[in-house]
């Protein structure tokens, strides 16, 4: 798995468990659960066994080995309205404190915060205010809301606008809470259908709110050419060597493209646990560098040189594809 970092960051290295399938270990299928509601209070089950230095799968744990964690909701969007109406989300990667506000909306170089060249992405993230090379808004909206479902839609760039949009093959959308909502520790969850196709790369993930990288938590990434293949990964940096490490697992959710499922991560002071339909599926001892609040990102990229089984877009890639999202929520751990 690759980091969705700014261009020029270090090449990621495999974790120590790669030789036994750390980065691609097919998991069990999970039945669809009735999890449509995001209650204000939530209790999750986590493993209590001692953690080693690397990540591990949680294989059919004995209920007696689990402990309950109580949480209360701190962020919620069930997408009954357009996501850009209430300032909860930004539609681009945030810049630094000296980044001119106008640079988000158009002109030469305005694509810098609207894709990650490092990843080989072939889309540009747009919104109705964005003008590409021009300073006049193009009115392109990749966000559609219907019956409480947000669709982030990727579509081939209209030929007449391709030059204005820096010759990107697709237009698509990203939503981020950087500078608007961030939290240290807690549970972060998306309920969504995972789109598929050549070059299709949906993701729900987190980065440090102070702009540093890593840490990075990839709560859910879809491998577009492997329907039902969901990958969950943690990224961190070794201070002594400055080398970036990662460790994670793939899980098979056969109906992920057609049915809504919950994908989440519980970040505690000592461990990070990944969940599918609120069942723990893997965990890792919290690596170094996770001492800052993190913010949430959800996006639909097109094309990748870093994530296996996504690939570059070609003639077989869908002309239009939607990442359907029912809700996104965050919870904080209750004080004992």
């Amino acid at each position: 798995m690759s980091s969705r970092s700014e261009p020029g960051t270090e090449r990621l290295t495999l974790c120590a468990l790669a030789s036994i399938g750390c980065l691609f270990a097919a998991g069990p299928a999970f039945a669809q659960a009735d999890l449509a509601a995001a209650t204000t209070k939530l209790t999750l089950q986590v493993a209590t066994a001692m953690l080693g230095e690397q990540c591990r799968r949680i294989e059919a744990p004995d209920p007696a080995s689990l402990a309950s964690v109580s949480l209360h909701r701190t962020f919620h969007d069930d997408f009954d309205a357009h996501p850009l109406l209430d300032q909860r989300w930004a539609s681009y990667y945030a810049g630094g404190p000296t980044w001119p506000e106008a640079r988000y909306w158009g002109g030469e170089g305005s694509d810098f915060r609207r894709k990650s060249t490092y990843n080989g992405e072939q889309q540009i993230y747009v919104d109705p205010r964005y003008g590409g090379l021009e300073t006049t808004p193009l009115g392109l909206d990749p966000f559609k809301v219907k019956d409480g479902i947000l669709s982030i839609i990727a579509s081939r760039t209209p030929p007449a606008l391709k030059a204005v949009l820096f010759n990107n093959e697709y237009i698509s959308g990203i939503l981020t809470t950087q500078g608007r909502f961030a939290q240290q520790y807690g549970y972060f969850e998306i309920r969504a259908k995972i789109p598929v196709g050549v070059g299709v790369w949906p993701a729900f993930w987190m980065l440090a709110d102070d702009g540093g990288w890593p840490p990075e938590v990839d709560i859910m990434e879809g491998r577009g050419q492997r329907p039902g293949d969901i990958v969950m990964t943690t990224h961190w940096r070794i201070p002594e060597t400055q080398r970036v490490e990662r460790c994670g697992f793939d899980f098979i959710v056969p109906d992920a493209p057609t049915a809504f499922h919950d994908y989440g991560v519980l970040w505690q002071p000592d461990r990070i646990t990944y969940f599918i339909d609120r069942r723990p599926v893997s965990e890792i001892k919290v690596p170094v560098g996770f001492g800052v609040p993190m913010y949430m990102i959800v996006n639909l990229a097109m094309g990748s040189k870093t994530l296996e089984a996504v690939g570059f877009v070609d003639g077989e890639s869908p002309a239009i594809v939607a990442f359907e999202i029912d809700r996104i929520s965050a919870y904080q751990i209750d004080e004992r």
Side-chain angles (χ1 to χ4, degrees):
M1 176 175 291
S2 65
S3 168
R4 292 164 172 264
S5 54
E6 295 302 331
T9 54
E10 300 92 332
R11 179 179 61 84
L12 292 177
T13 55
L14 301 184
C15 73
L17 295 184
S19 61
I20 58 172
C22 173
L23 295 177
F24 190 84
F30 292 92
Q32 173 71 347
D34 183 15
L35 299 171
T39 57
T40 58
K41 296 284 188 178
L42 181 63
T43 301
L44 295 173
Q45 299 295 308
V46 297
T48 57
M50 293 293 292
L51 285 165
E53 291 302 314
Q54 294 297 336
C55 60
R56 66 186 179 193
R57 299 172 65 86
I58 300 174
E59 304 281 6
D62 179 354
S65 70
L66 299 177
S68 296
V69 176
S70 298
L71 307 112
H72 59 276
R73 198 171 71 192
T74 52
F75 179 98
H76 180 66
D77 198 336
D78 55 11
F79 301 110
D80 287 331
H82 194 284
L84 301 182
L85 284 179
D86 62 5
Q87 303 299 310
R88 249 185 298 193
W89 301 95
S91 51
Y92 45 79
Y93 292 109
T98 61
W99 186 261
E101 176 70 14
R103 292 291 297 277
Y104 291 127
W105 308 117
E108 189 71 42
S110 63
D111 60 332
F112 178 61
R113 296 294 179 179
R114 291 181 176 271
K115 67 181 299 180
S116 173
T117 304
Y118 172 83
N119 288 326
E121 297 171 19
Q122 296 170 277
Q123 88 294 321
I124 185 169
Y125 297 126
V126 298
D127 58 62
R129 291 180 59 186
Y130 185 57
L133 276 170
E134 306 296 334
T135 55
T136 302
L138 297 174
L140 300 171
D141 192 352
F143 309 110
K144 308 298 181 186
V145 174
K146 182 179 180 181
D147 299 329
I149 303 297
L150 167 68
S151 293
I152 301 179
I153 298 172
S155 57
R156 291 194 181 270
T157 305
L161 295 178
K162 200 163 186 180
V164 177
L165 291 170
F166 303 91
N167 293 310
N168 287 282
E169 295 294 326
Y170 280 78
I171 56 175
S172 189
I174 187 171
L175 295 172
T176 166
T177 65
Q178 186 176 13
R180 302 172 186 224
F181 173 84
Q183 185 172 286
Q184 185 175 8
Y185 308 131
Y187 180 63
F188 307 83
E189 181 181 79
I190 187 172
R191 183 171 179 82
K193 296 179 183 179
I194 311 305
V196 298
V198 176
V200 178
W201 188 8
F204 177 55
W205 49 300
M206 301 195 302
L207 291 175
D209 198 52
D210 63 6
W213 181 86
E216 177 179 342
V217 176
D218 294 323
I219 304 168
M220 183 287 302
E221 292 184 285
R223 301 187 189 270
Q225 297 188 59
R226 295 178 184 163
D229 188 338
I230 306 302
V231 61
M232 299 170 147
T233 309
T234 308
H235 305 253
W236 70 98
R237 188 187 304 274
I238 304 298
E240 294 79 9
T241 64
Q242 289 300 298
R243 191 169 73 174
V244 175
E245 301 279 3
R246 59 181 175 179
C247 200
F249 299 94
D250 284 56
F251 299 93
I252 303 304
V253 185
D255 63 349
T258 58
F260 286 101
H261 287 271
D262 284 6
Y263 306 95
V265 67
L266 176 62
W267 173 21
Q268 297 174 276
D270 64 331
R271 73 181 70 201
I272 296 170
T273 307
Y274 292 86
F275 290 78
I276 297 176
D277 288 335
R278 297 184 184 164
R279 301 182 188 183
V281 294
S282 67
E283 63 181 358
I284 182 172
K285 181 178 179 180
V286 174
V288 65
F290 277 73
V292 295
M294 301 186 80
Y295 67 96
M296 298 180 290
I297 307 166
V298 60
N299 63 292
L300 178 53
M302 293 295 297
S304 173
K305 68 180 182 182
T306 55
L307 186 61
E308 182 183 351
V310 172
F312 292 111
V313 299
D314 60 21
E316 296 184 3
S317 299
I320 185 168
V321 60
F323 183 9
E324 296 181 77
I325 302 161
D326 185 14
R327 55 173 165 74
I328 292 176
S329 306
Y331 294 78
Q332 185 55 275
I333 302 168
D334 289 337
E335 295 183 5
R336 294 184 178 181

